[in-house]
């Protein structure tokens, strides 16, 4: 399983202004810190957990056992660049494969596949890559994020006393994420 190393600090998927427009309020009327530090990261985490794809651009790292051959899929969808390939030596140390072995990253709609045209390097590999959804190409994903952010803003607590909330059918809202959802692997 890949682990996120860090988000791109400059890359923002949603802004406070985007959420304000979705909520039909002025940006100055929102609690900007709540939206920016809690709601937006929360809905991005929801989307990433639901889809298996990177929504906000970030760097990921995953270990490939020797059984993963050339052409195997990366764990996180929407990968767009391989940053480093290292071999895990028997004693646990890492050897940087420099220059980077000749490779080809095949970016599909849902999954990305890493090919080594001249042959996969031997041993356990540690692959570091960048991934992030292109929201211009998948506007439904941005709409899903905005809908979830507006709902989270309106209903900031987990329990609402005396009110029955009816959620939009998940097959409607989740279909907005379908284009980038990584298929199950087993």
């Amino acid at each position: 399983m890949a682990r996120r190393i860090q988000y791109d600090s400059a890359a923002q998927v949603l802004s406070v202004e985007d959420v304000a427009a979705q909520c039909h309020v002025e940006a100055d009327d929102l609690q900007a810190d709540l939206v920016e530090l809690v709601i937006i990261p929360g809905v991005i985490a929801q989307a990433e957990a639901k889809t298996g794809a990177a929504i906000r651009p970030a760097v990921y790292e995953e270990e490939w056992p020797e059984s993963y051959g050339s052409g195997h899929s990366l764990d996180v969808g929407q990968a767009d660049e391989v940053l480093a390939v290292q071999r895990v030596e028997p004693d646990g140390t890492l050897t940087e494969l420099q220059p980077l072995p000749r490779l080809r990253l095949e970016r599909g709609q849902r999954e990305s596949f890493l090919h080594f045209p001249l042959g996969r390097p031997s041993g356990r590999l540690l692959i570091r890559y960048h991934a992030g959804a292109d929201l211009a190409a998948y506007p439904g994903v941005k709409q899903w994020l905005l809908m979830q952010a507006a709902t989270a803003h309106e209903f900031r607590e987990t329990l609402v006393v005396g009110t029955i909330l009816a959620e939009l059918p998940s097959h409607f809202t989740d279909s907005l994420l379908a284009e980038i959802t990584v298929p199950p692997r087993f």
Side-chain angles (χ1 to χ4, degrees):
M1 181 55 121
R3 68 183 179 102
R4 184 182 320 106
I5 302 299
Q6 67 184 24
Y7 278 123
D8 287 357
S9 58
Q12 295 301 320
V13 176
L14 295 179
S15 67
V16 173
E17 291 77 19
D18 293 335
V19 175
Q22 182 71 24
C23 293
H24 305 290
V25 299
E26 294 295 321
D28 294 340
D29 294 338
L30 289 178
Q31 293 175 297
D33 284 348
L34 172 71
V35 172
E36 191 171 24
L37 302 175
V38 177
I39 292 176
I40 291 174
V43 298
I44 290 170
Q46 276 184 305
E48 289 177 341
K50 187 174 276 297
T51 64
I55 303 298
R56 182 175 171 194
V59 174
Y60 293 86
E61 191 173 80
E62 70 179 81
E63 192 172 306
W64 276 24
E66 202 154 1
S67 62
Y68 285 12
S70 178
H72 194 274
S73 62
L74 294 168
D75 284 343
V76 175
Q78 304 300 305
D80 53 23
E81 180 184 8
V82 175
L83 303 173
V85 177
Q86 297 175 309
R87 182 183 352 265
V88 180
E89 301 299 343
D91 65 358
T93 60
L94 299 174
T95 302
E96 188 85 24
L97 300 182
Q98 286 292 345
L100 207 63
R102 186 158 169 242
L103 52 86
R104 180 174 60 87
L105 182 63
E106 177 188 340
R107 185 174 181 179
Q109 179 174 332
R110 293 182 172 93
E111 294 180 279
S112 299
F113 302 91
L114 185 55
H115 299 273
F116 295 94
L118 300 177
R120 179 200 184 281
S122 63
R124 286 181 16 221
L125 300 178
L126 194 62
I127 313 289
R128 186 175 282 224
Y129 56 94
H130 183 269
D134 178 359
L135 298 186
Y138 303 111
V141 175
K142 186 168 186 176
Q143 186 57 47
W144 186 94
L145 291 167
L146 288 169
M147 291 169 69
Q148 296 298 336
T151 301
H153 179 265
E154 181 68 24
F155 303 103
R156 291 183 281 280
E157 306 302 327
T158 58
L159 298 174
V160 180
V161 178
T163 304
I164 297 174
L165 296 177
E167 187 178 7
L168 284 173
S170 62
H171 65 274
F172 169 76
T173 55
D174 291 351
S175 68
L176 297 170
L177 297 175
E179 290 184 309
I180 64 166
T181 300
V182 175
R185 297 250 160 70
F186 36 90

